[in-house]
Amino acid sequence: MYQAVYSGKISGNGIYTRKCHEFFEKKYNFRRALLTTSCTDALEMTAMLANIQPGDEVIIPSYTFVSTALAFVRQGAKIIFVDSSSKNPNMDVSLVEAMITPRTKAIVPVHYAGIACDMDAIMNLAQKYNLLVIEDAAQAIDSFYKGIPLGSIGHMSAFSFHETKNINSGEGGMLVINDEKLMKRSEIIWEKGTNRSEFFRGEVNKYGWVDTGSSFLP
Ligand SMILES: Cc1ncc(COP(=O)(O)O)c(C=O)c1O
């Protein structure tokens, strides 16, 4: 903390933020990690990145925390609730296919209490119907599905570092991007719709406003 404060750079995307990104990317095989101020923020970013439009449908479990739905409702999505499995509060994947329509954009499995959803079945459906899978892994850091870290399987995922979680920063979260096509835009949305991250890496000689976004970085 002393080093962070006396480095003179305590705003977002500093050395310790980048160390966290590298740590999580390496340890859990995430393609790209971006710290956020909450999991709710990370979920809002996924809704923007999925380009959810009014009337698009998003399939989520009926048993979850409010943020899973809120992030998509803010973009105008119609939420389609799937009932829980008889074994645990996670979505009953056998019910999902019947709920898919031409308006369906994404499936959002929640790994409740770190218990993995049936990701093979969910990814198969996503491939068959060309849908995005966004893992709400708020409660699932260091949890695994068949030995694979949760959050590394879907196109995107969101983690929470809220006080109630196994790793916490008081309030905090993380967006994970596993789909190469979404990576560039994720950084821009993270930085208020600007290409400031590219500027800081010396890839462009000035930065500007290029897209939508918000101030999602901690
Ligand atoms: C499943 C789920 N999604 C999202 C969230 C929101 O997390 P945060 O408080 O970091 O915004 C929580 C918080 O408990 C959660 O349990």
Side-chain angles (χ1 to χ4, degrees), residues 145-180:
Y145 171 74
K146 297 183 175 175
I148 304 167
L150 292 177
S152 71
I153 304 167
H155 301 89
M156 295 182 263
S157 56
F159 287 88
S160 175
F161 300 129
H162 179 263
E163 175 188 74
T164 51
K165 304 305 186 294
N166 290 348
I167 298 179
N168 84 77
S169 55
E171 299 277 356
M174 177 169 64
L175 171 72
V176 168
I177 305 285
N178 298 311
D179 182 344
E180 185 83 42

Short mmCIF file of all heavy atoms in Angstrom, two decimals, residues 145-180:
data_model
loop_
_atom_site.label_atom_id
_atom_site.label_comp_id
_atom_site.label_asym_id
_atom_site.label_seq_id
_atom_site.Cartn_x
_atom_site.Cartn_y
_atom_site.Cartn_z
N TYR A 145 -14.79 -26.55 -13.09
CA TYR A 145 -15.70 -27.47 -13.77
C TYR A 145 -14.83 -28.49 -14.49
O TYR A 145 -14.07 -28.12 -15.39
CB TYR A 145 -16.57 -26.70 -14.77
CG TYR A 145 -17.40 -27.57 -15.68
CD1 TYR A 145 -18.53 -28.23 -15.21
CD2 TYR A 145 -17.06 -27.73 -17.02
CE1 TYR A 145 -19.30 -29.03 -16.04
CE2 TYR A 145 -17.83 -28.52 -17.87
CZ TYR A 145 -18.95 -29.17 -17.36
OH TYR A 145 -19.71 -29.96 -18.19
N LYS A 146 -14.89 -29.75 -14.09
CA LYS A 146 -14.04 -30.79 -14.67
C LYS A 146 -12.57 -30.34 -14.71
O LYS A 146 -11.88 -30.50 -15.73
CB LYS A 146 -14.51 -31.13 -16.09
CG LYS A 146 -15.92 -31.72 -16.13
CD LYS A 146 -16.30 -32.10 -17.54
CE LYS A 146 -17.66 -32.79 -17.56
NZ LYS A 146 -18.14 -33.08 -18.92
N GLY A 147 -12.13 -29.69 -13.67
CA GLY A 147 -10.73 -29.25 -13.57
C GLY A 147 -10.43 -27.94 -14.28
O GLY A 147 -9.31 -27.44 -14.21
N ILE A 148 -11.42 -27.37 -14.96
CA ILE A 148 -11.19 -26.11 -15.69
C ILE A 148 -11.72 -24.95 -14.83
O ILE A 148 -12.84 -25.03 -14.30
CB ILE A 148 -11.95 -26.12 -17.04
CG1 ILE A 148 -11.53 -27.34 -17.86
CG2 ILE A 148 -11.74 -24.83 -17.82
CD1 ILE A 148 -12.44 -27.62 -19.04
N PRO A 149 -10.94 -23.87 -14.68
CA PRO A 149 -11.41 -22.78 -13.81
C PRO A 149 -12.71 -22.16 -14.33
O PRO A 149 -12.83 -21.87 -15.53
CB PRO A 149 -10.28 -21.74 -13.90
CG PRO A 149 -9.10 -22.47 -14.42
CD PRO A 149 -9.61 -23.61 -15.25
N LEU A 150 -13.66 -21.97 -13.43
CA LEU A 150 -14.87 -21.26 -13.82
C LEU A 150 -14.49 -19.84 -14.20
O LEU A 150 -13.59 -19.24 -13.62
CB LEU A 150 -15.89 -21.28 -12.67
CG LEU A 150 -16.46 -22.67 -12.36
CD1 LEU A 150 -17.41 -22.61 -11.17
CD2 LEU A 150 -17.19 -23.25 -13.58
N GLY A 151 -15.18 -19.31 -15.17
CA GLY A 151 -14.86 -17.98 -15.67
C GLY A 151 -13.97 -18.03 -16.89
O GLY A 151 -13.83 -17.03 -17.61
N SER A 152 -13.37 -19.21 -17.15
CA SER A 152 -12.48 -19.30 -18.32
C SER A 152 -13.16 -20.01 -19.49
O SER A 152 -12.56 -20.22 -20.53
CB SER A 152 -11.19 -20.06 -17.96
OG SER A 152 -11.47 -21.44 -17.75
N ILE A 153 -14.44 -20.39 -19.31
CA ILE A 153 -15.10 -21.22 -20.32
C ILE A 153 -16.02 -20.40 -21.24
O ILE A 153 -15.98 -20.54 -22.46
CB ILE A 153 -15.91 -22.35 -19.61
CG1 ILE A 153 -14.98 -23.16 -18.70
CG2 ILE A 153 -16.61 -23.24 -20.65
CD1 ILE A 153 -15.70 -24.09 -17.72
N GLY A 154 -16.84 -19.54 -20.66
CA GLY A 154 -17.76 -18.72 -21.46
C GLY A 154 -17.02 -17.66 -22.27
O GLY A 154 -15.81 -17.46 -22.11
N HIS A 155 -17.77 -16.94 -23.14
CA HIS A 155 -17.15 -15.86 -23.92
C HIS A 155 -16.68 -14.75 -22.99
O HIS A 155 -15.67 -14.09 -23.24
CB HIS A 155 -18.15 -15.31 -24.93
CG HIS A 155 -18.64 -16.36 -25.89
ND1 HIS A 155 -19.73 -17.15 -25.64
CD2 HIS A 155 -18.15 -16.76 -27.08
CE1 HIS A 155 -19.90 -18.00 -26.65
NE2 HIS A 155 -18.96 -17.78 -27.53
N MET A 156 -17.46 -14.52 -21.91
CA MET A 156 -17.10 -13.50 -20.92
C MET A 156 -17.54 -14.02 -19.56
O MET A 156 -18.41 -14.89 -19.46
CB MET A 156 -17.87 -12.19 -21.18
CG MET A 156 -17.54 -11.50 -22.47
SD MET A 156 -18.47 -9.94 -22.60
CE MET A 156 -19.86 -10.44 -23.60
N SER A 157 -16.96 -13.44 -18.50
CA SER A 157 -17.43 -13.79 -17.17
C SER A 157 -17.20 -12.62 -16.21
O SER A 157 -16.42 -11.71 -16.51
CB SER A 157 -16.77 -15.06 -16.66
OG SER A 157 -15.38 -14.90 -16.68
N ALA A 158 -17.91 -12.68 -15.08
CA ALA A 158 -17.84 -11.58 -14.11
C ALA A 158 -17.66 -12.15 -12.71
O ALA A 158 -18.35 -13.11 -12.33
CB ALA A 158 -19.12 -10.75 -14.18
N PHE A 159 -16.71 -11.57 -11.97
CA PHE A 159 -16.42 -12.01 -10.60
C PHE A 159 -16.69 -10.86 -9.63
O PHE A 159 -16.58 -9.70 -9.99
CB PHE A 159 -14.94 -12.40 -10.47
CG PHE A 159 -14.60 -13.69 -11.14
CD1 PHE A 159 -14.23 -13.70 -12.48
CD2 PHE A 159 -14.66 -14.89 -10.45
CE1 PHE A 159 -13.92 -14.90 -13.12
CE2 PHE A 159 -14.35 -16.09 -11.08
CZ PHE A 159 -13.98 -16.09 -12.42
N SER A 160 -16.98 -11.24 -8.38
CA SER A 160 -17.17 -10.22 -7.33
C SER A 160 -16.07 -10.34 -6.28
O SER A 160 -15.72 -11.45 -5.87
CB SER A 160 -18.52 -10.42 -6.64
OG SER A 160 -18.63 -9.51 -5.55
N PHE A 161 -15.56 -9.19 -5.86
CA PHE A 161 -14.63 -9.15 -4.73
C PHE A 161 -15.26 -8.34 -3.59
O PHE A 161 -14.59 -7.60 -2.87
CB PHE A 161 -13.27 -8.56 -5.15
CG PHE A 161 -12.60 -9.36 -6.25
CD1 PHE A 161 -12.12 -8.72 -7.39
CD2 PHE A 161 -12.46 -10.74 -6.15
CE1 PHE A 161 -11.52 -9.45 -8.41
CE2 PHE A 161 -11.85 -11.48 -7.16
CZ PHE A 161 -11.39 -10.83 -8.28
N HIS A 162 -16.58 -8.45 -3.50
CA HIS A 162 -17.32 -7.82 -2.40
C HIS A 162 -16.92 -8.47 -1.08
O HIS A 162 -16.47 -9.63 -1.05
CB HIS A 162 -18.83 -8.02 -2.66
CG HIS A 162 -19.72 -7.44 -1.61
ND1 HIS A 162 -20.24 -8.20 -0.59
CD2 HIS A 162 -20.17 -6.18 -1.43
CE1 HIS A 162 -20.98 -7.42 0.19
NE2 HIS A 162 -20.95 -6.19 -0.31
N GLU A 163 -17.07 -7.73 -0.02
CA GLU A 163 -16.72 -8.18 1.34
C GLU A 163 -17.19 -9.61 1.66
O GLU A 163 -16.53 -10.34 2.41
CB GLU A 163 -17.39 -7.18 2.30
CG GLU A 163 -17.30 -7.45 3.75
CD GLU A 163 -18.17 -6.46 4.51
OE1 GLU A 163 -19.41 -6.59 4.48
OE2 GLU A 163 -17.61 -5.55 5.13
N THR A 164 -18.31 -10.04 1.08
CA THR A 164 -18.87 -11.36 1.41
C THR A 164 -18.21 -12.50 0.63
O THR A 164 -18.59 -13.65 0.82
CB THR A 164 -20.38 -11.37 1.08
OG1 THR A 164 -20.53 -10.89 -0.27
CG2 THR A 164 -21.18 -10.50 2.02
N LYS A 165 -17.28 -12.17 -0.29
CA LYS A 165 -16.71 -13.21 -1.16
C LYS A 165 -15.37 -13.74 -0.62
O LYS A 165 -14.77 -13.13 0.26
CB LYS A 165 -16.52 -12.64 -2.58
CG LYS A 165 -17.81 -12.08 -3.20
CD LYS A 165 -18.94 -13.08 -3.21
CE LYS A 165 -20.18 -12.58 -3.93
NZ LYS A 165 -20.86 -11.44 -3.29
N ASN A 166 -14.90 -14.85 -1.19
CA ASN A 166 -13.70 -15.52 -0.66
C ASN A 166 -12.44 -14.67 -0.80
O ASN A 166 -11.55 -14.73 0.03
CB ASN A 166 -13.48 -16.86 -1.35
CG ASN A 166 -14.54 -17.87 -0.94
OD1 ASN A 166 -15.28 -17.63 0.02
ND2 ASN A 166 -14.64 -18.97 -1.63
N ILE A 167 -12.34 -13.91 -1.90
CA ILE A 167 -11.27 -12.91 -2.03
C ILE A 167 -12.00 -11.58 -2.09
O ILE A 167 -12.94 -11.44 -2.88
CB ILE A 167 -10.47 -13.08 -3.34
CG1 ILE A 167 -9.78 -14.44 -3.37
CG2 ILE A 167 -9.46 -11.96 -3.51
CD1 ILE A 167 -8.98 -14.68 -4.65
N ASN A 168 -11.61 -10.61 -1.27
CA ASN A 168 -12.39 -9.37 -1.33
C ASN A 168 -11.54 -8.12 -1.19
O ASN A 168 -10.43 -8.15 -0.65
CB ASN A 168 -13.53 -9.40 -0.31
CG ASN A 168 -13.10 -8.97 1.07
OD1 ASN A 168 -12.94 -7.78 1.33
ND2 ASN A 168 -12.88 -9.93 1.96
N SER A 169 -12.09 -7.02 -1.72
CA SER A 169 -11.44 -5.72 -1.62
C SER A 169 -12.46 -4.72 -1.08
O SER A 169 -12.46 -3.55 -1.45
CB SER A 169 -10.94 -5.28 -3.01
OG SER A 169 -12.01 -5.29 -3.93
N GLY A 170 -13.35 -5.19 -0.23
CA GLY A 170 -14.45 -4.34 0.25
C GLY A 170 -15.55 -4.40 -0.77
O GLY A 170 -16.48 -5.20 -0.68
N GLU A 171 -15.45 -3.53 -1.77
CA GLU A 171 -16.25 -3.61 -3.00
C GLU A 171 -15.25 -3.84 -4.14
O GLU A 171 -14.18 -3.26 -4.13
CB GLU A 171 -17.02 -2.31 -3.28
CG GLU A 171 -18.02 -1.90 -2.22
CD GLU A 171 -19.37 -2.59 -2.37
OE1 GLU A 171 -19.59 -3.34 -3.34
OE2 GLU A 171 -20.22 -2.36 -1.47
N GLY A 172 -15.60 -4.65 -5.10
CA GLY A 172 -14.68 -4.85 -6.22
C GLY A 172 -15.18 -5.96 -7.11
O GLY A 172 -16.07 -6.74 -6.74
N GLY A 173 -14.63 -6.02 -8.30
CA GLY A 173 -15.04 -7.07 -9.24
C GLY A 173 -14.03 -7.21 -10.36
O GLY A 173 -12.99 -6.54 -10.38
N MET A 174 -14.36 -8.10 -11.28
CA MET A 174 -13.46 -8.34 -12.41
C MET A 174 -14.25 -8.85 -13.60
O MET A 174 -15.11 -9.73 -13.46
CB MET A 174 -12.41 -9.38 -12.01
CG MET A 174 -11.46 -9.78 -13.12
SD MET A 174 -10.06 -10.75 -12.51
CE MET A 174 -10.87 -12.22 -11.90
N LEU A 175 -13.95 -8.27 -14.75
CA LEU A 175 -14.48 -8.77 -16.02
C LEU A 175 -13.42 -9.66 -16.65
O LEU A 175 -12.24 -9.30 -16.67
CB LEU A 175 -14.78 -7.59 -16.95
CG LEU A 175 -15.15 -7.96 -18.39
CD1 LEU A 175 -16.55 -8.56 -18.46
CD2 LEU A 175 -15.06 -6.74 -19.30
N VAL A 176 -13.85 -10.81 -17.15
CA VAL A 176 -12.94 -11.67 -17.90
C VAL A 176 -13.47 -11.81 -19.32
O VAL A 176 -14.67 -12.02 -19.53
CB VAL A 176 -12.83 -13.07 -17.23
CG1 VAL A 176 -12.14 -14.06 -18.14
CG2 VAL A 176 -12.08 -12.94 -15.91
N ILE A 177 -12.56 -11.63 -20.28
CA ILE A 177 -12.92 -11.76 -21.69
C ILE A 177 -12.13 -12.94 -22.25
O ILE A 177 -10.90 -12.92 -22.23
CB ILE A 177 -12.51 -10.49 -22.49
CG1 ILE A 177 -13.12 -9.23 -21.87
CG2 ILE A 177 -12.89 -10.61 -23.96
CD1 ILE A 177 -14.57 -9.03 -22.10
N ASN A 178 -12.84 -13.95 -22.71
CA ASN A 178 -12.16 -15.10 -23.32
C ASN A 178 -12.28 -15.11 -24.84
O ASN A 178 -11.58 -15.87 -25.50
CB ASN A 178 -12.74 -16.40 -22.75
CG ASN A 178 -12.50 -16.50 -21.25
OD1 ASN A 178 -11.38 -16.28 -20.78
ND2 ASN A 178 -13.55 -16.78 -20.49
N ASP A 179 -13.19 -14.30 -25.36
CA ASP A 179 -13.41 -14.24 -26.80
C ASP A 179 -12.57 -13.09 -27.38
O ASP A 179 -12.82 -11.91 -27.09
CB ASP A 179 -14.91 -14.00 -27.07
CG ASP A 179 -15.23 -13.97 -28.56
OD1 ASP A 179 -14.31 -13.82 -29.38
OD2 ASP A 179 -16.43 -14.07 -28.89
N GLU A 180 -11.60 -13.47 -28.17
CA GLU A 180 -10.66 -12.51 -28.78
C GLU A 180 -11.38 -11.30 -29.41
O GLU A 180 -10.93 -10.16 -29.28
CB GLU A 180 -9.86 -13.28 -29.86
CG GLU A 180 -8.76 -12.52 -30.53
CD GLU A 180 -7.48 -12.54 -29.71
OE1 GLU A 180 -7.15 -13.60 -29.16
OE2 GLU A 180 -6.84 -11.47 -29.63
#
